[in-house]
Amino acid sequence: MNLSNLRPAKGSVSERKRVGRGQGSGMGGTSTRGHKGAQSRSGYSRKTHFEGGQMPLQRRVPKFGFKNINRVEYKPLNLDSIQALVDETKATVVDLDFLRQHGLVSKKDLVKVLSRGELTSAIEIHAHAFSTSAKDAIEKAGGKAVVPTKEANEEAAN
């Protein structure tokens, strides 16, 4: 066997369909498009979700409610999980990098501290937002609740 006698597998290659080349070809006349209707016309293109005139799915399905496109979604983080992490690591400052290193949040998460659980250590917590009760609990334990400024966020992103 050499390059001069290579052939494609039997049946894998077929001749192209030559439409509109006379009745003898079997594909003359209407050129395999059938009679009348949108699909027989030149320039026809079916809309992506067209269902042949049937009421399309996106109109059949009921829609209700309101989706706020400006919604800011925070990753919730409770005081009990922070306290467990502090007990384990003996940290005094819990910032976003610290939380990322310990797998509690991911890089692009916005973190909001919530007040479930109890805080016994006086620690400084850095997060994007705090619930009022969580902030009170942190300050009651002798710690600080710090919201990073916009400049600090931009520096951390770079």
Side-chain angles (χ1 to χ4, degrees), residues 104-118:
L104 288 175
V105 295
S106 59
K107 187 176 181 182
K108 291 187 177 180
D109 282 340
L110 297 176
V111 179
K112 181 169 185 174
V113 178
L114 304 177
S115 66
R116 187 188 72 198
E118 204 172 310

Side-chain angles (χ1 to χ4, degrees), residues 13-108:
V13 177
S14 55
E15 287 191 19
R16 71 184 185 91
K17 190 197 286 192
R18 295 186 72 220
V19 296
R21 291 293 181 271
Q23 291 298 98
S25 69
M27 292 176 227
T30 58
S31 302
T32 72
R33 286 169 170 258
H35 297 282
K36 298 187 181 174
Q39 293 175 66
S40 72
R41 316 288 183 195
S42 68
Y44 168 74
S45 62
R46 178 182 288 138
K47 301 264 193 302
T48 46
H49 299 292
F50 186 64
E51 297 183 26
Q54 172 177 296
M55 186 64 69
L57 181 69
Q58 72 270 22
R59 289 186 63 197
R60 290 197 306 264
V61 174
K63 287 168 273 299
F64 53 88
F66 172 73
K67 287 256 193 230
N68 185 357
I69 59 167
N70 299 315
R71 176 188 161 97
V72 177
E73 191 145 344
Y74 289 98
K75 169 90 181 212
L77 191 64
N78 284 293
L79 291 177
D80 56 1
S81 52
I82 294 173
Q83 184 61 51
L85 186 63
V86 167
D87 291 342
E88 194 179 294
T89 61
K90 306 289 185 236
T92 55
V93 176
V94 175
D95 61 353
L96 298 171
D97 290 329
F98 181 78
L99 294 170
R100 280 186 205 110
Q101 287 168 0
H102 290 86
L104 288 175
V105 295
S106 59
K107 187 176 181 182
K108 291 187 177 180

Side-chain angles (χ1 to χ4, degrees), residues 5-14:
N5 63 6
L6 287 178
R7 294 277 175 268
K10 188 113 176 121
S12 67
V13 177
S14 55

